[in-house]
Structures are given as structure tokens and as C-alpha cells.
Amino acid sequence: MKNKRFIYILLAVLIFVGCKDKTPTYYVDKEMLRYCWFPEGSYWIYEEANTPGLLDSVYANDVSSRIVNDEDSGYKYEAYTIILNVQEKRRIQSILAWPGENESETLSELTESFSDPSGQQLDYLFFSHTSVLDTLTSYQTTIICNRHDSITIHGSIYLDAIEVCITPPQVADWTYNVIWVKDIGIVRRSLIDGKTWNLIRYHINN
């Protein structure tokens, strides 16, 4: 009787193990998230470099994350979304994880998009690759052009900064150069219209 019970338990375990979802799941680099993922209610105030006193307040709204099942590709991926109110327009930053050239590699990338009846914009502004590549393989004009141990912006010293460039700048839709700082976010953003916005103060919500 005990032997039969053991066999039943063993069969149940084997069935459970066999039924477990074996679909590979790709997760966004958690270290990268420290540069670009912040709680709702966080805000950043920027000043235009060539126009002292011209300010823009950027607010984080509708922050969310989820696991997406991409049945066509045969894998799942982690996705984060943060909606920013920038220059009174709704810009969406999407952070996604993808398989690299092989299943053991993961690419995490951030795109920023805007769309309304006046037009559409899409820029690749940040990425992280498990092979520590400095070029975004899916969009090779986007590169990590500098990694700064420290950088001074508008009189403030920031540590652990990563500068992302779109080269040549003409292929950017809106932003061609952006500097990210760990646990703070964007401290400088240079736009194709010739303006550069520097961070002057910020608040990261808990």
C-alpha cells in the first residue's frame, strides 16, 4: 500500500514537472533600470542651456510593468512603461528585454515615442547588452559614446553617468544625445532643434 502511494506521488510530481512552462523568459537588466525607471510622481526640472530661466518640468505618470508572451517568437519578455509629461506632451518610454544573437544573451532597450495628429517620433535612448556591447545591434546608429565616473551639469556633480548618442544626429527624430545618471535619470538632453536641456533639480518618489 505504501509503495502504491509512493508511486502515485512520484507520478504526480513528474506530471507537474512535465507541465511546467518551459518558454524562455527574458528580463530587463535591473542595473539599467536604476538609470531610467522611477516611481510614479517623480519629477525633473530642466533649464534650456542657451536661455537662462526657460524651464521645463517633466513628470512621471502611468508607470507599469508586465511579462508579455510573444507566441509568434516562442518566448516571453519583461516590459516596463513610463509615461512622461515633457513640454506639455505625452511621451512614452518603453523598456523591453529581447534575446540577443543566441538564447544565452539578453538585450534590454529603451525607446521613447510620441504620436499625435501633428506627427510621430521614435528614438532609441538607452540599452544594455549582456555582452557589454556599446552599439545597439538592432539600431546601429545608437551607441554608448561615453561612460563618465563623474560629470558636472549646471554646477552639480553626478556620478555613474552613461552618455548615449545617435550618430549621425540627423537620423534622430527628437533626441540625439542624452546623459543618464544612476538613481536620478536624464541630466542632459540635446535635441535636433539645437536646444540642450540641463537638469537643475529633481524629486524621485518613494
Side-chain angles (χ1 to χ4, degrees):
M1 195 71 176
K2 289 183 178 180
N3 288 339
K4 285 185 178 180
R5 183 179 298 173
F6 173 77
I7 291 172
Y8 291 148
I9 293 173
L10 180 61
L11 286 172
V13 170
L14 291 174
I15 291 172
F16 174 77
V17 171
C19 292
K20 286 185 69 176
D21 187 358
K22 296 180 180 179
T23 304
T25 303
Y26 296 90
Y27 295 94
V28 173
D29 178 12
K30 297 305 180 286
E31 186 68 10
M32 172 180 163
L33 289 176
R34 292 185 61 181
Y35 288 83
C36 58
W37 179 251
F38 301 98
E40 187 167 339
S42 300
Y43 64 82
W44 303 261
I45 299 176
Y46 299 89
E47 183 177 56
E48 208 284 305
N50 297 318
T51 313
L54 179 59
L55 305 181
D56 183 37
S57 300
V58 175
Y59 295 89
N61 301 298
D62 297 332
V63 176
S64 63
S65 63
R66 65 196 186 283
I67 298 294
V68 179
N69 185 7
D70 189 335
E71 295 182 355
D72 293 336
S73 300
Y75 58 78
K76 298 178 182 179
Y77 62 89
E78 191 174 31
Y80 291 79
T81 303
I82 181 169
I83 296 177
L84 300 177
N85 181 20
V86 184
Q87 295 184 358
E88 299 182 352
K89 293 183 177 181
R90 174 186 169 101
R91 305 189 72 87
I92 301 174
Q93 289 185 352
S94 299
I95 310 166
L96 306 176
W98 307 105
E101 293 183 359
N102 58 67
E103 290 188 358
S104 64
E105 297 180 342
T106 301
L107 169 66
S108 303
E109 64 181 26
L110 180 151
T111 59
E112 184 178 88
S113 60
F114 167 75
S115 178
D116 75 0
S118 68
Q120 297 180 345
Q121 296 171 339
L122 174 67
D123 288 323
Y124 290 82
L125 296 185
F126 202 21
F127 66 94
S128 173
H129 198 286
T130 49
S131 295
V132 198
L133 299 176
D134 281 346
T135 301
L136 183 60
T137 54
S138 58
Y139 196 76
Q140 296 186 7
T141 56
T142 300
I143 63 173
I144 294 177
C145 48
N146 283 297
R147 298 177 187 271
H148 305 275
D149 292 332
S150 66
I151 190 170
T152 302
I153 303 287
H154 205 276
S156 297
I157 298 174
Y158 299 101
L159 306 179
D160 297 322
I162 296 177
E163 183 175 358
V164 179
C165 307
I166 296 179
T167 304
Q170 290 81 1
V171 302
D173 280 356
W174 196 58
T175 301
Y176 73 87
N177 182 284
V178 61
I179 299 178
W180 303 86
V181 170
K182 185 184 293 186
D183 300 324
I184 295 176
I186 295 175
V187 297
R188 172 175 289 165
R189 182 195 286 258
S190 298
L191 307 179
I192 60 173
D193 64 4
K195 294 180 180 179
T196 295
W197 293 88
N198 295 316
L199 184 69
I200 59 172
R201 61 182 179 273
Y202 65 94
H203 168 75
I204 305 302
N205 213 12
N206 294 321

